Amino acid sequence: RGKSGGGRCCCLSRSSKGGDGAAAMASSLAPGLARKVKKVLETRVDSPEIISCLKGLSDFYGDNNPAARRGLRNSIERRGLDINREFLDASSQAQEALAVVDDQLEGLLQCCQRIAEALDSSRERTGALLHETNKLSLELDAVEGRKRMVASFLVDYQLTDDEIAALRGEDVTDVFFAALARVQQIHGNCRALLRTHHQRAGLELMDVMATYQESAHERLCRWVQGECRALAEEDGPEVPELLSRAMLALRARPTLYRYCVEEVARTRHNALFRRFITALTRGGPGGMPRPIEVHAPDPQRYVGDMLGWLHQAVAGEKELVA
């Protein structure tokens, strides 16, 4: 290689020295050939590209002889083919790896396509489900609104089971009076309902409440009469609070109230009459105080004792009525 390189350098130096003479000779050639010769002669042999090409050529160009120089082109082409074969051999593994990657990408693409189809199908089903859910939610809101309206209606226009049981029970207690007040309140609400477009409902509810109220007042009247009979057996009785509340509640029914007042007057009249006869003829318990008739021979004292007893009895009855 050293010899061939030296020979090439000598040739190049000789050609550079004789360049001027050859240029003069090229001027006498044909124009096309002259241009080619001039282009070859003007080529810079010390450029990096030429040097790199020469170094690559020295790797496989062994002998610098006429036969080798005549076959230089074929040698360069064979070298190029060898390099291409080496490149193909070296790139075969990369091609196989790329083929595997391509298969994987194809599988991934198919998988993505199946996922997209599944998402589209799920979106369609979910859309129908969401539509149905929204519809049911609206219906639920409407039902809740009706429920609140019904609850409010029941509070304003209906009695509870406990209140109905209290009105129909035998005992007259605070619960009974609370239920009776509730009936009166609902009756007033029904009158307000008549001023709206729900007049039929208002009339029906008023009839129901009137039935409850009538039944409760009748029971209350019977209870008051029974309590008055019990008071007739006592001297100077204390009026129970429930009896006072009952009489106050019966003022809403003048007829029943009058019956009760008459019953109270009759029972108290009978009780006072019996007490007066007892005081007049028998006196107090154990004979003390003594009977009023004992002083019958003394008209003044006799009449004074009777008036004194009556004054005391009237005061007690006044407290009872109050």
Side-chain angles (χ1 to χ4, degrees):
R1 292 179 181 177
K3 292 180 182 181
S4 61
R8 287 192 296 270
C9 292
C10 291
C11 292
L12 292 173
S13 62
R14 285 195 300 270
S15 63
S16 61
K17 290 179 181 179
D20 296 334
M25 181 182 65
S27 61
S28 61
L29 298 176
L33 183 60
R35 284 195 300 272
K36 292 181 180 180
V37 172
K38 184 178 180 182
K39 182 176 180 181
V40 171
L41 293 177
E42 290 178 353
T43 302
R44 293 179 56 85
V45 297
D46 57 349
S47 64
E49 292 81 4
I50 297 299
I51 295 174
S52 176
C53 291
L54 292 176
K55 288 182 179 181
L57 183 63
S58 64
D59 293 336
F60 65 91
Y61 188 72
D63 298 329
N64 188 10
N65 51 46
R69 287 195 294 273
R70 285 194 299 270
L72 178 61
R73 182 169 183 174
N74 291 332
S75 299
I76 293 173
E77 291 178 353
R78 284 195 300 274
R79 178 61 177 170
L81 290 175
D82 294 338
I83 292 172
N84 288 333
R85 290 191 186 94
E86 292 177 358
F87 176 77
L88 291 175
D89 294 338
S91 64
S92 61
Q93 295 180 356
Q95 291 178 358
E96 293 175 357
L98 289 175
V100 173
V101 172
D102 185 67
D103 294 338
Q104 293 177 351
L105 290 176
E106 183 67 23
L108 182 61
L109 181 61
Q110 294 177 359
C111 183
C112 291
Q113 187 175 0
R114 289 194 299 271
I115 293 174
E117 293 175 355
L119 288 175
D120 292 337
S121 177
S122 177
R123 188 178 296 108
E124 293 177 359
R125 293 193 300 270
T126 304
L129 179 61
L130 289 175
H131 178 71
E132 187 67 20
T133 302
N134 292 332
K135 181 180 177 181
L136 293 177
S137 179
L138 294 176
E139 293 179 356
L140 180 60
D141 293 339
V143 171
E144 290 293 336
R146 296 191 189 98
K147 181 179 178 181
R148 289 191 294 269
M149 290 177 61
V150 170
S152 177
F153 180 83
L154 292 177
V155 170
D156 295 335
Y157 299 98
Q158 290 292 329
L159 294 173
T160 64
D161 294 338
D162 294 337
E163 290 172 342
I164 295 175
L167 291 175
R168 293 176 177 176
E170 296 296 333
D171 297 332
V172 176
T173 60
D174 293 336
V175 179
F176 174 86
F177 288 107
L180 184 59
R182 177 76 176 137
V183 170
Q184 295 173 351
Q185 179 184 3
I186 294 175
H187 199 273
N189 293 338
C190 292
R191 285 196 296 269
L193 192 63
L194 293 177
R195 293 193 292 269
T196 65
H197 58 280
H198 300 292
Q199 296 180 356
R200 181 176 178 180
L203 290 173
E204 292 178 356
L205 290 172
M206 285 185 70
D207 291 339
V208 174
M209 293 301 113
T211 302
Y212 284 133
Q213 196 171 21
E214 182 75 19
S215 176
H217 282 151
E218 290 178 356
R219 288 188 57 253
L220 194 60
C221 182
R222 292 193 297 270
W223 181 83
V224 168
Q225 291 175 355
E227 289 293 315
C228 290
R229 294 188 187 99
L231 290 176
E233 305 299 329
E234 302 178 5
D235 294 336
E238 293 183 1
V239 180
E241 180 184 359
L242 290 179
L243 182 58
S244 299
R245 294 179 63 182
M247 294 298 294
L248 183 62
L250 286 174
R251 286 181 179 273
R253 299 294 304 276
T255 303
L256 296 178
Y257 180 74
R258 187 174 63 254
Y259 289 158
C260 291
V261 170
E262 292 175 356
E263 181 67 21
V264 170
R266 186 179 61 81
T267 54
R268 295 309 301 166
H269 171 269
N270 294 334
L272 287 175
F273 181 76
R274 288 194 301 270
R275 287 172 54 197
F276 178 74
I277 295 301
T278 301
L280 186 64
T281 58
R282 291 184 296 178
M288 293 301 295
R290 299 175 64 186
I292 298 175
E293 287 185 346
V294 173
H295 305 286
D298 187 358
Q300 185 175 0
R301 183 173 181 181
Y302 181 55
V303 174
D305 289 344
M306 286 191 293
L307 292 177
W309 186 92
L310 289 175
H311 176 75
Q312 183 179 2
V314 168
E317 294 301 317
K318 183 177 179 182
E319 292 179 0
L320 177 63
V321 174

